[in-house]
Amino acid sequence: MNTRLRDTALFAGLLLVALGVYAMMGPAYTLRMVVEATCYAILALGLTIQWGYAGLFNAGIMGFVALGGAMTMLMSFPVNQDFWNSSAPAGLGRVLLIALAGAALVYAASRLHRLGVSRGLRTAVTVIVLAIAYLVFMNALTPVAAEIESTAGFVGGLGLPVGIGWIAGGAVAGLVGYFIGRICLGLRSDYLAIATLGIAEIIKALLKNADWLTRGTLTVSPLPWPVPAPAEIGFVGSRAAYLAVTAVLIVAIYILLQRAYHAPWGRMMRAIRDNETAAESMGKDVNRRRLEIFVLGCILMGIGGAALITFVRIFDPSGFVPLNHTFLVWVMVILGGAGNNLGAIFGALLIYIVWTMSEPATLFAFHLMEQYGRDWFGWQPPADLDSRALQMRVFIIGLTITLVLRYAPRGLMPEPVKHVD
Amino acid sequence: MNELVFFINKVVIAGSVIGSIYALGAIGVTLIFGILRFAHFAHGDMMTVGAGLSLVVAVLLAEAGVSTPLPIGFVAMPIAMVLTALLAIGLDRTFYKPLRDAGVRPVVLVMASVGIMLMMQGLVRLLAGSSTRSFFFSERKDIFRIDLPFLEARRSLVITEPQVLLIAFTVVAVVALHFFLTRTRHGKAMRAMSDNADLARITGINTEQVVWMTWIIGGGLAAAGGTLLSLDVTFKPDLSFNIILPIFAAAIVGGIGRPYGAIAGGFLVGFTETLAIFNWSILLRPFDALFPAWLEVPANLAFVPTEYKITIPFFILVAVLVWRPTGLFKGRVL
């Protein structure tokens, strides 16, 4: 079938589904769903270049989403005067100096072999210096953190425009991605998967427990919006304005990625993905290229995460769960068609609509089952049936991943493969 | 010498317990990684499923009126191990084998294992809810207190019956695995296939049988690890990520495809965790008088606060990947 015809048909079907939701749920609900779906589409674009262009397995999207959200919160949340008027900023400055001094000492220790010290001794000295510097740093930070928590609550934001927060979110996510990539990309992609899974859990643990920085489980809200808030112009108007922002963002990212895909750079990436050895023998620096694309994907995930958390208006570190923020994105990309940017966007929109609708649908199905079970078999359902029923969706997501991998490994919109005769 | 006893309780015993659990999980992960060549993400949930099966069998046994001197969960464990091994083989036949036969890249198998992880997670939480459950629903957990009067300690060593069973089971399992791998045909075939799959196939080794053996050992030990962990604390349906990361770290530290390495790695990760969250100032306090006046022992001298425990296996993993990607026991870098 003609690819253009197929894509048009799929998107038309998607529009019909969205209109159906609109007819049932009304404009405000539908707009919320579509805006969130577009934020997920940015995440999916980030993943499709990592997985689709370069074959890199990133199991820690949640971590980059959380980083993006945290950065936009810190940049754009109003300034906390209590914090700046107290002695805590000076204390934090001192802690920062200690950290820098410690880092300098550790670096110096790691260079000791230049002075003729044997390598074994150098490593031992470095590890000891690192441990002492770390303990001093922790002991300096603890009282300052406690002071901030007791006097000011948390550090507050910087009151900058939201756009700067999103850029900062992308930048920090890219930085973390760079370090992970440097360590793991020379090895097989399984290691990358394990490491990204770990870093995501660590970022979540840090954000959740560093109360002085993020208020932890107390959550921060309401985050400022880049467009007028619902209180000013109503839900429909402000959500539509937000949708315009994310839509422009997606179109811009899409055009850039499309150009990159068809450029020599994109061709080289696919060459590396499809046959690493051949690409390497042609003189391509495989690891550097992979690092490039991995960082680029992480930046997109940071921006997408920032947009998503800003829209939700509440920064809640416990709200980041691997299912919603990592594996849902996975399903979007592999079902949509890895390596096809349009497919990633389509997959994100479709899966997010299905995902949102699946909550009432699952509850409805389980309540029906509960009723029949009670009537026919005298079954006593457990009290927490609702929360258990929602776990059914975890099962469905897992099943979808395995089934798509087996029966439709190229997705609904496969990557177009050009054959040259 | 109260402090020393405290140290033994908090570090030596706790470290051996958690190290044994990690070792039992890591053996399976390293064998699957070595023979089937992919990181099996569903292993943590296989442990949860195994523990859940043990719990079900234990409840059934208790209802049938069986009473034993050992905890009933421990008696139920062998049945759960068999069931989990069968489950593992079933999953392999339905999901992994078709993908393997289609000749997909190994990373696709990793993704499939993530899918299976989510399926198991969803089913366990659907059936068991998200609350914790104790294995000791009908009996009491025996706690042994050993007084050490010769150390002039007022505290006593504390170790529970499940902990003793856990350490004993790990020792027996490790010795049995050693003899299996070195003395039997199947074990030698497994090692051969782990070293070089193609060479093993052309020398006439039935590779399909080796795959079965791998899943039987991996699944059985996963069920045992999960059950013993749940016996020691409680059965938690949402264990998953908190246990899979240390297990991967243990398998990679020990060297992929090296069962002995996995055991060493498990204990290494377990002890590092307990040492890192241990409050060292307790050990330093008796020597307070020896320090100069300006150097005061801080109240809390733990390297890592307990809530950041998950960072420890990660940093071990990173350190190994940077300095020695083959692991301590010269495994493979895949």
Side-chain angles (χ1 to χ4, degrees), chain A residues 108-127:
Chain A
S110 71
R111 301 264 117 191
L112 270 180
H113 60 279
R114 296 277 177 101
L115 300 177
V117 180
S118 78
R119 280 177 183 267
L121 186 63
R122 173 208 57 177
T123 310
V125 170
T126 311
V127 170

Side-chain angles (χ1 to χ4, degrees), chain A residues 322-397:
Chain A
L323 183 73
N324 291 6
H325 296 104
T326 299
F327 299 119
L328 195 60
V329 185
W330 267 106
V331 175
M332 291 167 178
V333 169
I334 59 173
L335 191 79
N340 183 342
N341 297 324
L342 210 56
I345 297 175
F346 173 78
L349 298 176
L350 175 72
I351 292 294
Y352 197 75
I353 293 175
V354 173
W355 174 251
T356 330
M357 291 294 116
S358 73
E359 187 175 328
T362 325
L363 289 180
F364 177 74
F366 269 77
H367 286 153
L368 209 65
M369 218 165 75
E370 182 188 351
Q371 204 181 350
Y372 282 118
R374 208 186 301 239
D375 292 351
W376 294 353
F377 307 108
W379 175 54
Q380 264 311 319
D384 56 348
L385 185 76
D386 280 10
S387 76
R388 287 193 191 191
L390 291 181
Q391 294 294 340
M392 194 65 202
R393 302 195 298 171
V394 182
F395 177 81
I396 301 284
I397 290 275

